[in-house]
Amino acid sequence: MISTKISICVPIYNVEKYIKRCAVSLMEQTYDNIEYVFVNDCTPDNSMVILKDTIAQYPSRINSVRIINLKENKGLSYVRNKAVEEATGDFIVHVDSDDWVEKKMVEVLVNEQQKHNADLVSCNYYSHNEDGNISIKDIFSDYENNPFQFIIKGFHSYHIWGRLISRSLYDDNNIKCIAGCDIGEDLHTLPKLAYHAKKHACISQQLYHYNRLNQYSLTSTEKTLYWNQQNVISLKNVCDYFLDLNKNEFIDIIIPSKLQFLYWYMYKCVKDANKSSFKIYSSELAETERKYPQYKYRGIRHRLKKNYTIHYLATNYLHGSFR
C-alpha cells in the first residue's frame, strides 16, 4: 500500500537563530513519505546557508527537499500561497521556520487522518513564551466535534501551522492568503478551510512547539499601526466571505464574533495608550454596528465580563477623556 504523501511547507526569512532546530525536527520525522518545500523570501541573513548545511546531514531526505528562491521579498502571504502551489503532496502541513515539531508529528497526524478519513487534522501544542515559561495549549477541548464553530465564534486557535490539511480544500475552494496581508493571514484562511472540510479530527497530544520569542516587533507606533491595519483587513475578509455565502445561520455567528474581536482590541489599545490603532478598530466597529444595528453589543456581554468597563473606557477614550 502506497503511503499518503505529505508536503511540509516552510517560509524562510530572518530565522538564522532558529532554522537549524526547525530543520532537524523536520528531517528526523518518523514518517517517510514527506516532501519538504522551503520558500526563501529573499532572507538577508544566513538562514539559507544554515538550512542547506543542516539538510546535507540527512542524505536520505535530500531528494525530497525542494528549495524555492524568490527573486524579491514578497511577504508571508505570498510565500504561503507559493508553497501550497508548488507542493505535490496529498496533504499540506505548514511549519513556521522559527518553530519546531515533535519527531512523530506527521506520523501521528496521518494515522489520525486515516482513522477518520478526515480533511483536516489538528493537534495541541506547546507555547514557548518570552518569560521562559512553557504553556500547554488545548485548542479543541470544548468544540472537538465542530472546530469550525470554535474558530469562528471566538476567533481562537486560527493558526494555520501544526495541522494536516487536505490539498483539495485549497484547490477545490480556491482558498488563498490575501496578497500583501502578511499579519493575521491565518485568520482569513483557516476558518474557510475548516468550513469546507467534511470531516475534522483532533489530537490531544502536543506535537508542535510555537516559539513566541521571535514575535513581530511592535516597539514603534508605525509598526503597531501596521499590525492593526492588517488585522482588520483579515477580519473583514473572513467575515465577508461567510456573509457572502448568504446563509442566515452565519450572520448570528459572524457579526457578534466580529464585534467581540473589535471591542477587545479597542480595550487593548486603551490599555496601551495607542490612539491611532484604536481609531482603526473603532471605525470598523461603528461601520459594522451601523450596517447591523440589531447586533450591537450582542454576543459580547456574556463572553466578556468586563464589558461595561471596556465600554466606558473605550467610549471616553474615543472622545479624548483619557490621555
Side-chain angles (χ1 to χ4, degrees):
M1 180 178 178
I2 300 176
S3 61
T4 302
K5 185 177 182 180
I6 307 301
S7 294
I8 298 181
C9 299
V10 187
I12 307 293
Y13 188 81
N14 266 352
V15 287
E16 62 182 12
K17 290 183 180 179
Y18 311 103
I19 186 59
K20 182 174 181 178
R21 179 178 60 189
C22 176
V24 167
S25 75
L26 299 180
M27 295 294 115
E28 295 186 355
Q29 286 296 299
T30 57
Y31 190 81
D32 290 329
N33 195 4
I34 297 176
E35 169 192 56
Y36 301 92
V37 182
F38 295 97
V39 182
N40 172 22
D41 195 20
C42 290
T43 184
D45 63 359
N46 291 318
S47 295
M48 295 309 300
V49 173
I50 297 171
L51 173 62
K52 291 176 181 178
D53 287 345
T54 304
I55 294 172
Q57 298 174 26
Y58 298 89
S60 64
R61 293 288 195 184
I62 289 178
N63 291 335
S64 300
V65 174
R66 300 175 60 200
I67 295 177
I68 300 168
N69 295 298
L70 302 183
K71 295 181 179 180
E72 59 181 338
N73 179 257
K74 292 286 192 175
L76 183 57
S77 285
Y78 182 94
V79 170
R80 291 247 198 253
N81 290 338
K82 184 66 174 176
V84 173
E85 176 187 323
E86 295 287 339
T88 61
D90 303 299
F91 284 83
I92 304 292
V93 174
H94 293 282
V95 175
D96 284 349
S97 47
D98 50 355
D99 300 336
W100 71 102
V101 303
E102 293 291 309
K103 294 181 181 180
K104 61 181 179 180
M105 183 188 76
V106 174
E107 181 180 0
V108 173
L109 290 174
V110 170
N111 287 342
E112 195 71 11
Q113 185 278 322
Q114 293 177 344
K115 185 188 303 182
H116 300 283
N117 192 27
D119 303 298
L120 175 63
V121 184
S122 301
C123 64
N124 290 326
Y125 65 97
Y126 296 103
S127 179
H128 296 258
N129 304 315
E130 295 178 355
D131 58 7
N133 291 324
I134 301 174
S135 56
I136 296 175
K137 299 297 183 180
D138 186 6
I139 61 176
F140 286 141
S141 59
D142 296 326
Y143 289 90
E144 184 173 352
N145 294 324
N146 197 341
F148 165 70
Q149 293 232 354
F150 178 66
I151 294 166
I152 288 296
K153 284 186 175 180
F155 288 109
H156 295 307
S157 300
Y158 52 77
H159 55 266
I160 201 74
W161 41 258
R163 305 179 194 268
L164 188 70
I165 305 169
S166 173
R167 173 62 184 267
S168 63
L169 291 178
Y170 284 100
D171 294 344
D172 295 349
N173 303 291
N174 193 30
I175 296 175
K176 295 182 178 180
C177 297
I178 303 173
C181 188
D182 300 318
I183 298 174
E185 85 289 346
D186 311 59
L187 173 58
H188 66 250
T189 305
L190 183 68
K192 302 171 188 176
L193 294 167
Y195 168 71
H196 289 289
K198 295 178 181 178
K199 178 65 176 178
H200 304 84
C202 304
I203 298 173
S204 60
Q205 298 177 60
Q206 286 75 32
L207 300 174
Y208 192 97
H209 292 264
Y210 173 42
N211 176 21
R212 297 180 62 87
L213 303 180
N214 192 36
Q215 294 293 287
Y216 184 84
S217 176
L218 299 180
T219 55
S220 70
T221 301
E222 292 80 9
K223 288 181 179 179
T224 305
L225 186 63
Y226 173 75
W227 189 93
N228 287 309
Q229 287 171 334
Q230 297 254 304
N231 226 6
V232 169
I233 291 172
S234 287
L235 179 63
K236 290 177 67 174
N237 176 270
V238 73
C239 289
D240 290 345
Y241 179 87
F242 289 107
L243 293 176
D244 287 345
L245 294 177
N246 292 320
K247 292 188 177 182
N248 291 332
E249 64 266 29
F250 284 146
I251 298 179
D252 277 337
I253 298 174
I254 296 296
I255 299 304
S257 294
K258 181 179 181 180
L259 293 175
Q260 175 185 308
F261 187 99
L262 292 168
Y263 226 83
W264 182 248
Y265 271 90
M266 286 168 64
Y267 174 56
K268 289 182 66 177
C269 289
V270 172
K271 290 177 64 179
D272 297 338
N274 189 339
K275 188 168 289 189
S276 297
S277 293
F278 179 90
K279 289 180 179 178
I280 294 173
Y281 290 114
S282 63
S283 176
E284 183 63 25
L285 179 72
E287 174 61 23
T288 303
E289 291 183 338
R290 182 196 64 77
K291 190 173 181 179
Y292 301 97
Q294 69 272 32
Y295 293 98
K296 190 173 184 179
Y297 304 137
R298 184 177 167 187
I300 299 176
R301 285 186 179 136
H302 72 288
R303 302 188 70 176
L304 293 178
K305 295 180 180 179
K306 296 181 180 179
N307 180 64
Y308 293 106
T309 302
I310 295 171
H311 180 249
Y312 173 76
L313 287 173
T315 301
N316 284 277
Y317 188 72
L318 184 60
H319 293 290
S321 297
F322 293 96
R323 302 298 180 193

